[in-house]
Every structure is written in structure tokens, then in C-alpha cells.
Amino acid sequence: MEKEIVTLKEKLNVVGKPKRRVDAKEKVIGKALYVDDLRFPGMLYGKVKRSIYPRARIRVIDTSKAKALKGVVAVLTAKDIPGKNMVPIIVEDMPLLAEREVRYIGEALALVAASSKRTAEEALKLIKVDYEPLTPVTSPIDALKNTSPKIYGENNIVISYKLRKGDVESGFREADVIIEREYRTGYQEHVYLEPQGIIAVPGPNGSMVIYGSLQCPHYVQKAVSYVTGIGMNKVRVVQVETGGGFGGKEDVPSWVAGYTAVLAYRTNKPVKLIYDREEDILSTSKRHPAIIKYRTGAKKTGELTAVEVKYILDAGAYATLSIPVLWRGTVHAVGPYKCPNIKVDSLAVATNKVPCGAFRGFGTPQVIFAHESQMDLLAEEIGMDPIDLRLKNALEEGDQTATGQVLRESVGLKETIRRAAELSNWHRKRREYSLLKGVKRRGIGISTVFYGVSLGAAGKHLDKAASLVHVFPDGSVVVFQSLTEIGQGQRTVIAQIASESLGVKFEDVYVQQADTSIVPDSGPTVASRGTLMPGMAVIDACKRIKKRLAAVAAEMLNTTPENLVFENGEVYNVYKPGKGMLFKEVVKEAYNRRVNLGAEGWFEAPFTSFNPETGQGEPYFVYSYATHIAEVEVDVETGKVDVLKVTAVHDSGKIINPATASGQVEGGILQGLGYALMEELQEKDGYILNPNLTDYLIPTSMDAPEIEVSFVEARYSKGPFGAKGIGEPSIMPTAAAILNAVSHAIGVRVFSLPATPEKIYWTIKGSGRYT
Amino acid sequence: MNETGNLKIKFTLNGKPIEYMVKPNWTLLDLLRKELSVLSPKEGCSRGDCGACTVLLNGKPVNSCLVLAPQIDGKEIVTVEGLIEDKEFKALKETFIEKGAVQCGFCTPGIIVSAVALLREKGNPTVQDIEEALEGNLCRCTGYIRIIEAVKQAAEKLQKTS
């Protein structure tokens, strides 16, 4: 280990400032290039033939007519895959192309490459598939019945977890109040504005380059190597500008790239494959629908005595990411509260439907909706203000979580609750809104959450990050790292961290796009780890370079390295400010002395653990916290909800860039608003009825409420400048806060998401109120 | 129309006159992106729901995926590429960057086009005007807040300078 240079300055020049995004200008002037904007000489266009049955045996796939069509270069089925017919995600259960049986509508059966997209589309129609339809299983409750056809393993259960703490039965005996309810949540579709897309380009010596819209380049590299049989050393994945991800480009690009790479391999030509919107909605992963049975026991004074949860996810036909999604949901099922007695049982169940996967929040928004509804029901039952009830049970430093983890630092939860209450004028509005009469009723509701940052014990082996930093003789800096910019501002934040660490001007740092051939596998861009993990790796590399430069600068300034300050592109002796040199002068001298001006950085996630028998352990090394307070107006005659304002207070540790962090929170809130009130993917017998943006509604500019964002910066000692994570906590509390506000407004509660106007209308009707 | 069913159309694109043989079933978006390599309009849904392909047709914002190429015969088409020197665009460019109204950027060119059309029509738009003008442009990243603020601020800047 190289000895760390003691920094004599505390003041931050770049970190914590609302620096302008490094990619904003290109995007505004329309020059940013996304995958569909790229072309290569001789490029072909790929398309995928997909199943029209939720469950069927495949008798024959006849591709002869498609192959004969002018302009068609290749039509491939499972037997033409050069490597393994398998997409490696967590477990290996999903073939790239179905061979004997299809398990959901939209499952891939065959691939076409043609000279134009239109020709490829024509060819798809000429592929004849002879199916023998089988009875599909489309509900997880049916799938769990003994009589159900076995569509996954022996019992249709993809994965199950349990969490045990104390003794729930005695906890419920101690309780003065017990609240027991069932909650349901529906699918949520990502609707990244740019659909999935990949270009595969065969290169010399049997190599292959993949350009794509993706979150996890190292996952794609592994998948392409699997299906083509090309060694990982010859598969290079380059992320291009990506039009949104939200989890939807975590696992899916592995199979999109798989199709494209197989076509490129067999035709020896570059192949572009871009999904159209309907195909994207029908065949790619989404947020899991869930059923949550929840039982909460508490004292009259508000202390929780017992929580029992049964959490069932509808996984769809293959495991994809259900395993870690369910695990995260299980660990977070009780919420950010102290409770001595806990029992959580969770299951992800297979159905003949599109596989569900990662979506911002990753298995937590479902249970948050349940636990935050429970808290409000409990508050009502014991006659306590919902804020006071939460403050009474909220985790603090030194407390134990549901998994028995003692929180040792960086717990800003209570401050998020207090500040949100203050900023929103909670107490006054809670009172005033209760008194409103008439057609338009108002309500105010709260939700509070915690979120384990990064992959945690379940993804331990992937939880590392690398960086490569070069300083050039002109004093400019390039940073390579392999987490991806997907809109969140990751490259800007990494540039700020590098600039602060080296003491160079922000404008002199350039962060390159992710490329698997440059830095070692750094895990996926998920789990709100895009700042903390690569940030630490970048700091590590910068320190190494700075140490070497400091040795040179110390000689030049006639002092010792310990006395040097690197700041804003200058290097000076802390005792002689104003008499320093430019950073680039030091670099030039170091260059002439043949000092190595490049360095690799590395960071391994701190300790985590998990006992599969009890669910106890330290599943995550640190947690972010957030509280949202929503204000709504409900028309009790139509059930229509207007969200007037959301106050969002987040503890994500040190905020590296307040502008991009607020942008994350605002965007998360609108996605949460959609999840709460309007986003409803309708499915019947395995068929998705509204695979388009005409009928699947997401929030528009007309739905945007007033948003007030505030940060509690409880610094984390092992994060870059004290940072934790922000991406997912942004969406997590919103839907529950809105539903609690709706319930405050109308006096009755909706127990399933989304709470569409129809559902609210019928809930009001059924309650007999306002008649 | 020639014997292959193709049609010759004349139109102006970003101020330049163009003559082009088109197929009757091409959309304006296909013509721009695939034939003419004008890449700022993006394809997000192909059915007029998302607004990522918004361009100006005789000064009005339209979803170019819903316009057939032959329909633009004799018309004037403007995309972001043709707005670079435009005063409304310049003001929007500044405020979008300053406000952080851009995240993934895929919807941005379409939103800018809609905003330019609004600012040309209404020098001093209300927040309501802005929300309505952008209703057909979906954004999944920003939550719209910063976009609305950026358009408002651009309008104010333009008011001051005019």
C-alpha cells in the first residue's frame, strides 16, 4: 500500500458544487449519438421472431420461406447458436432462443438478419412455427397449488427467503393493537425513452465489439462470450449514450446483445438490432407484481412489538434477477424501524409471463407500500400522528435493523422525517385538510424508507470497482471507469471526484464512456452504487498519481510532500500560499523525469454477511434514508387525484453534486407518482393488453407537482467524500406517501397499486362515504 | 410518381431546398434519419405517443413518425440541426444546460423543438402554457421540473433582450 498523503486542506472546491453536466451541451444540440444513430459499413438489420403463446411445445420452426426472401442474409434458430444456448444472469435457466418449449408471449424463437429493417420484418412473417399450445399458469397463487402444472423446477418456486428475529408470537401477545392487511401491486414498465438496442461488429482474429444502450457492460461481455463461444478477451463492450435505464437495461441487454452477436457471428457482418416499443414492452423485464400479507403489532404508545410479512413476487417465466430482487425486498420488508420480533417469508413464483427483473427500488417499493400503509393504519388506530409514530420507531445510530445489524454511522433518518415535516408544514396541513368538505378533498401523507447501498451480501463477489486515470503533459486528465452514464449524471459526478482528488480544474477532467477492454470488471451499474464504488476507485488512482507528483513538486518548491496543497490546478506550500506553481508545470517536470503519470485504482466493498437460515447478518455495508411527504387533492366524484406537492428529504451522505442529485430525486418522484396512480400494465391469460404508450400511461408535464428537495448529509466514512447512494431512494417512498395522502383526503384506503381514478371511485362508493 | 411507385418531393430542410425520391409509405422520421442522416429526431415509439421525434413542419411542432414523407412536399421542415443560430434555441440551450434540464437526453431534441415553437408563439408563457406545450413530449428521467423552469427562464431572458 502506498502511504496516503495527509491533506492539509478541508475546503472542497468541486465536490458539493452544482457543476454543470459534462454531457448536457451535446444532448441539447442534438449531437449526442445513441446506438440507433450509429452505422457501420455493410451493416445488416436484425429482428427477433417471438412466441405468440404463453406456453406451448414447439413442433417445428420452418425458416425456408424466410431464407428465400431477397435481402435476407441469415435466419437462425437455436441449433445455429455457435456457443451455449444460455443467457447467464444469476442462475442459468434461460435459453437465448427457445428450442422445445416457449414459456411466455414474446419469448425469442428465431433471428433474422437482412439488408434493411423492413426486409427483416417481412422475413419474420415468413417464419412458420408449428406450436402445440399447453395450459399456461399465469397467476402465482395458481402456480403454488399442488394441482398446477410444473412450469419451473419441482414446485414453481424460483427462490424463497426467510428472516427470523425474536419471537413474533410473543410479540403479538405483548401488542395492544394488531393490524393485519393484504396489499397488491402491479407491474411497472420502465419506459426508458430509448428502446433497447445493440450493434455487434465482428473484428479481426475472431473478435467482436458490442456497442449498445446498456447499464452493465461486464454482464453483456459475459453473455456474448457464452452464446458465441468467443473468449472474453476478444469480446469488447462499449457503452454508447444510453437513453435511460432505471434497471431495465441491467439484465435485458445481455440477451439483446446475445441475439445481435450470434447474427453478426454467423453473417460476419455488423448487425444492428433495435427494439420497437411494443416489442420492448412485451418482451423485456419490468417491476414484479406482488402480493404482500402484513401483520403489525404495537403498544398503545406506538412501539412496534412484532411484524410478520409474507411477500410473494410474480417472477415470470425465468429467474433473471428475481433472486436478488426478492432478497432485497426481504431485507427491507420491515422498513427503517426498530422491532424486536420479526418473521418474514418471501417467495418468487414462476408464471408463464414475461420475466420480471430490476426496476429502481429493486423489490422494495412493493413492501414499502405495505409497511407505510400499515404505519398509518396503526397511527389511526392508536390515535397518534403518523410522524410521531414514525419518529418513535425510526432507526438511529446504535440501533439494530431487522437483520440484527447494528448501525454504527451515517444514520440521518430521523432528521429526514423532522425536516420533511417542517418544510411541508405537516402539522398545520394535516389539521386543515381534515376539515375540508365538498367535492375536492385534500390530504397529506408521509412515507419513510431505508436503502442498503450497493450489492450487499447477495452480490458480494461482484462488489468491487476499478479505475484508470492518466494525467497528460498538458495537465489534462482522463478517467476510465466502467460504471455507466444512463442519464443520472454519473460521468459528471466522477469528474468532480477526480478533479477534487487531484486538485485540478473540473474542466480539465474528461471521463470516458465505459469500455470493458480498459478497466477490470467493476460489477453492474445498479443498486445506487455508481457514485460510491467507482468514486472510491477513482480516488485510489488519483492518490497514487498525486503521491508521485508531490515528490517532484516538493523538490521544485523546496519543501516536503506533506506540506503541499493541490487545489484548482495549482500546487503550493501550505505555509506559503500564493507562491506555488501550476499543476501542469509540475506534470511537465514529472513527465520529463519519466514519472509514471497513469495509475489504476481499486476498491472493494466493505464487509457484509447474511445467514440464509435466519436472515440475520449485515446484509449491506451502509444505508441511505429518505422521507417523502405528498399533498394531494382528490375529486371524490370522479376519483381523480392531483398531486400538489412532494417534499423530499434524503440522507445519501455527502452530496457530490446537488443539481444532479436533485434531478435524480425529482425524476424518481415522477416515476413513483406514475406507479402510485396511473401506470397499469393490463395482463390477461399471459397476454399484455396495452403494450404501447397510448394505453400505458406515464406522467407528462401536466402531472408534475411542485417538488421541494432537501438533503441531510450524514457522511459515511468509507464513501467518497462521505457519499452513499441516491438513485433508488429517489423513487422508493413516493407511491406510499401519495397513497397515504389519498387516504387522508378521502377517509378510506386503497390497498392495491396503481390507485387509478376508477379504483378510488369504487373504493369511495364501497365505503358508503360521500353518498 | 415514377413506375416504381416512388414520388419526387421538394421541400426545405433547415433552410436548404431539397428534392428527393421517396416511397409513399416512408415516414418523415425515416426520411430524416435513414435517408438524410438528420439524427436529432429520435425514434421512441413510432406512433405519436412520446414526442422524441418532434420537428417543425411549417413552424408547427409535429411527431415526424406520424407524417408520411409525401405529405411534406412543398413544406418547410426544421430540426434542432437547423435551429443552432436561432435566438429562441440559443436561450433554451443556455437555460437547459444551466438548470440541469437534461438527463439521458433522448427526449431533449424533441422537447427543445416544442419549446422553440412555444416561445415563438408566446413571448411570455405561463407555467401552464409550458406544461401544455410539452404535454406531448415524454421524459422519464427529469420529472419535468427543471425543463419547465428552463423554458420559463429562457422566455424571461428573451423578453429582456428584445
Side-chain angles (χ1 to χ4, degrees), chain A residues 21 27 34 36-37 39 118 189-191 243 277 487 662-663 666-667 671 679 694 699-702 705, chain B residues 30 33-34 37 39 42 44 47 49 80 98 102-106 131 134-135 140-146:
Chain A
R21 290 181 65 110
K27 287 173 174 175
Y34 300 80
D36 196 23
D37 300 330
R39 278 180 215 177
R118 268 178 212 282
E189 164 59 37
H190 304 87
V191 195
R277 181 61 64 182
S662 296
E666 291 156 16
Q671 284 179 354
E679 296 186 31
T694 316
T700 73
S701 53
M702 300 293 282
Chain B
D30 285 341
R33 287 185 56 84
K34 292 181 186 156
S37 293
L39 297 173
K42 304 295 179 199
R47 52 186 277 161
D49 292 325
V80 165
E98 211 170 285
V102 179
Q103 287 191 26
C104 85
F106 198 76
E131 287 174 353
L134 300 181
E135 197 191 357
R140 192 60 154 168
C141 295
T142 64
Y144 303 104
I145 310 289
R146 283 159 197 271

